[in-house]
Amino acid sequence: MKKINLFIVTMILMVALAPIGGNAYGATPVKALVTESKLDIDGKSVALKTYNISGHNYVKLIDMAWLLNKSPKQFDVAWDAEKKAVKIISSASYSGAKPLAESTPAGVKGELSSFALYKDNNRVKLTAYVIDGRTYFKLRELCMLMDISLVWDSANKLVVINSKKSFVEETGMSQLSFSSEYGEFQSGTVVNATLDSYKDQVISLVNKKRASLGLEKLSSSTKLEEIAQFRAQDMFEDNYFAHTSPTYGDFSSVAKDLGYTAVSMGENIAKGQSSPSEVVDDWMNSSGHRANILRDNYEDIGIGIVEYQPGRFIWVQLFSEPK
């Protein structure tokens, strides 16, 4: 009876992680390739159904929960009927049955998914695609969320996962921090205090420009900062520089997905500047960016920063007229 119950729980999770309502973001399906890389989890080679999308590996939650069971970073996966969401339970043993072996069809399409996902009691947002009727999550983001070491061994073409070590981002990645509503992700080579200082300096410089023209100062918004940081991080991860993400859409779509609405919003982006003064000067010397900085109906501001090369940053500046 216990085995039957475990099988039923596993099947419920598999259904829960299947597509709900089709392509959540309306994005064009992308090609998902069967990964040729091997996985090493805590020193053991494992056979795991994975896909590669735009250079990133995607895995199923229940597969990783099974493979990491009894490790220092074990977690369980459960269905929360009240919230109608899948829940990751930290430090808990995996309670489901062993995931069923499945074929891995080549050349299939993946559709972006955005069903509700929680880690313990916090809502989290991980990039996920529905592939061949199952939901696959970006492995790197999952390891980051669970604080599990993830290293690419290029010489042996091997993805190395070590649950005994903490997640450390690649060289050049800056601190990433989301609010508790969407989980807590922290990593990086640039210390948080430095990035906070840079963000404060940008806001201060912007307000000085506005004050010199008799405009009201902008207030720092924690929520806008969260959205701006998400935007900057997405540009770094997916290797693009534009106001519209190939995955999440434009900044207003990202804001909506993260629970923020406003009467009006604006965004300035920049790449390559090494200091707050340099980036603000560049924005002020561009008519479109300057107009955003000096728009009189804006009240709030938020800054996102990612270091993509030593001393070089991606900058995102968001403005809003709140409701």
Side-chain angles (χ1 to χ4, degrees):
M1 181 62 69
K2 183 176 181 181
K3 289 184 178 179
I4 294 175
N5 288 338
L6 287 175
F7 176 76
I8 291 172
V9 170
T10 301
M11 290 305 297
I12 290 172
L13 284 170
M14 290 173 73
V15 172
L17 295 179
I20 299 175
N23 192 338
Y25 291 90
T28 303
V30 298
K31 190 172 184 179
L33 303 174
V34 178
T35 181
E36 296 179 359
S37 61
K38 299 174 293 183
L39 274 81
D40 179 292
I41 299 181
D42 289 339
K44 297 180 180 179
S45 295
V46 298
L48 182 63
K49 179 179 180 180
T50 63
Y51 282 100
N52 188 287
I53 297 176
S54 301
H56 297 286
N57 289 316
Y58 285 77
V59 299
K60 289 186 294 186
L61 276 180
I62 57 174
D63 284 343
M64 293 304 296
W66 167 261
L67 291 168
L68 289 166
N69 196 34
K70 301 187 185 302
S71 76
K73 299 294 175 62
Q74 68 178 4
F75 63 90
D76 197 9
V77 183
W79 173 249
D80 190 321
E82 181 180 349
K83 295 178 179 176
K84 294 182 178 179
V86 172
K87 186 174 182 179
I88 297 173
I89 306 169
S90 302
S91 303
S93 298
Y94 178 58
S95 60
K98 181 178 179 179
L100 300 175
E102 300 174 348
S103 62
T104 310
V108 296
K109 296 289 185 178
E111 291 189 346
L112 199 62
S113 175
S114 63
F115 68 87
L117 177 67
Y118 284 77
K119 178 191 175 188
D120 302 321
N121 294 318
N122 293 324
R123 177 78 180 267
V124 296
K125 191 175 181 69
L126 300 181
T127 306
Y129 283 91
V130 177
I131 306 169
D132 191 32
R134 305 296 180 210
T135 304
Y136 289 76
F137 295 82
K138 186 181 286 188
L139 177 60
R140 181 181 159 281
E141 290 182 359
L142 178 60
C143 287
M144 189 177 188
L145 177 67
M146 303 308 296
D147 193 29
I148 299 170
S149 173
L150 175 67
V151 177
W152 169 245
D153 183 345
S154 58
N156 297 308
K157 294 184 178 180
L158 187 68
V159 176
V160 181
I161 296 171
N162 190 337
S163 67
K164 299 178 179 65
K165 295 182 179 180
S166 295
F167 183 91
V168 177
E169 191 52 272
E170 302 112 3
T171 302
M173 177 69 80
S174 66
Q175 179 79 20
L176 171 62
S177 178
F178 290 164
S179 71
S180 59
E181 181 181 359
Y182 291 94
E184 295 180 355
F185 304 151
Q186 292 188 338
S187 67
T189 57
V190 176
V191 296
N192 196 30
T194 300
L195 285 186
D196 285 345
S197 174
Y198 279 5
K199 292 174 183 179
D200 290 343
Q201 289 178 55
V202 169
I203 294 172
S204 177
L205 290 168
V206 164
N207 279 332
K208 285 181 181 179
K209 301 292 185 183
R210 289 176 63 88
S212 69
L213 296 174
L215 298 172
E216 292 291 328
K217 292 184 177 180
L218 300 175
S219 298
S220 177
S221 165
T222 301
K223 194 64 179 180
L224 281 183
E225 179 183 341
E226 174 191 337
I227 300 164
Q229 190 65 44
F230 185 99
R231 289 273 299 124
Q233 186 68 29
D234 185 50
M235 286 188 217
F236 178 89
E237 289 184 4
D238 281 354
N239 193 30
Y240 74 95
F241 179 69
H243 289 287
T244 300
S245 164
T247 303
Y248 300 104
D250 65 14
F251 64 89
S252 61
S253 297
V254 173
K256 184 178 179 180
D257 290 339
L258 294 180
Y260 183 85
T261 58
V263 175
S264 62
M265 293 183 67
E267 178 184 73
N268 286 343
I269 60 176
K271 183 177 181 179
Q273 294 82 357
S274 60
S275 69
S277 59
E278 183 181 3
V279 72
V280 172
D281 285 345
D282 285 350
W283 278 330
M284 288 299 292
N285 288 327
S286 167
S287 59
H289 298 92
R290 178 186 174 90
N292 268 342
I293 289 173
L294 301 179
R295 202 174 299 277
D296 60 5
N297 62 305
Y298 287 152
E299 299 177 21
D300 292 343
I301 186 174
I303 309 298
I305 308 172
V306 165
E307 184 188 29
Y308 70 95
Q309 291 179 358
R312 299 293 178 181
F313 301 90
I314 295 170
W315 307 79
V316 175
Q317 185 180 53
L318 287 178
F319 308 90
S320 78
E321 178 186 1
K323 287 186 176 181

